[in-house]
Structure formats: C-alpha cells, structure tokens
Amino acid sequence: VKLEGADPELYIILGKAYESARQKDLAATQYRKASLVAGDNKQVHQRLLKLFQEMKQSQAMAFEKEELKRIEKKEKFEKELKQGK
C-alpha cells in the first residue's frame, strides 16, 4: 500500500467508519496510517491523539504525544532562526 502523498483526512474518515462498524482494530490501523502521512501537521496529530485516547490505545497515544513534541520543537527552532538567535 502506497501512503506517500496521501491525505490523512481520508484515513481518519475510514477509521471513523470502522469505529462505527465496531471494528476497533481496523479503525486504529487507519488512524496510524493517517499519522504516518500527516507529517508536521500539528492539528492532525492533536486530533489523532484524541481519537486514540477515546479508544484507549496507549502505545499510539504515546507516539502522537512524541510527534507533537517533535513538531513543537521544530516550530520553536524555526522561530528562533527567523529571529536571528
């Protein structure tokens, strides 16, 4: 399955459909795919963190928290570069 260039929103929609059908494992798989293609999209990672919290997926929650930390670190670094620090 090619994930490169994919839209994370599509995977989130698929995940929600699986959740509605009570297919939690398949939903979690789609959410993980969304996370992989989300890149530095902070809003998507925040949304996924909430979805994983609702599903009580502790490992996936930890991954999303780390992704958010990484993005925030990157944003801080970029801001400091622009300010000439």
Side-chain angles (χ1 to χ4, degrees):
V1 175
K2 182 183 174 193
L3 298 178
E4 202 172 303
D7 183 353
E9 291 299 323
L10 295 176
Y11 291 112
I12 291 172
I13 291 167
L14 280 171
K16 287 183 177 258
Y18 280 125
E19 270 196 88
S20 295
R22 291 181 168 75
Q23 299 287 325
K24 302 289 185 191
D25 290 339
L26 292 173
T29 297
Q30 296 306 312
Y31 295 150
R32 283 193 289 278
K33 287 180 184 178
S35 181
L36 288 174
V37 298
D40 291 341
N41 188 326
K42 193 175 184 179
Q43 290 78 24
V44 170
H45 288 290
Q46 288 169 333
R47 192 166 163 205
L48 289 167
L49 176 59
K50 288 180 185 174
L51 290 166
F52 285 129
Q53 285 172 333
E54 291 168 5
M55 295 177 71
K56 295 176 177 45
Q57 297 275 326
S58 58
Q59 190 173 9
M61 286 168 36
F63 179 80
E64 292 306 321
K65 287 178 184 176
E66 287 301 314
E67 281 295 289
L68 287 166
K69 282 183 193 175
R70 180 190 60 78
I71 293 167
E72 287 167 5
K73 219 182 227 185
K74 181 180 176 188
E75 287 174 346
K76 182 181 177 192
F77 177 73
E78 289 172 349
K79 184 179 178 181
E80 288 173 358
L81 279 179
K82 285 180 185 177
Q83 294 174 349
K85 288 188 175 180

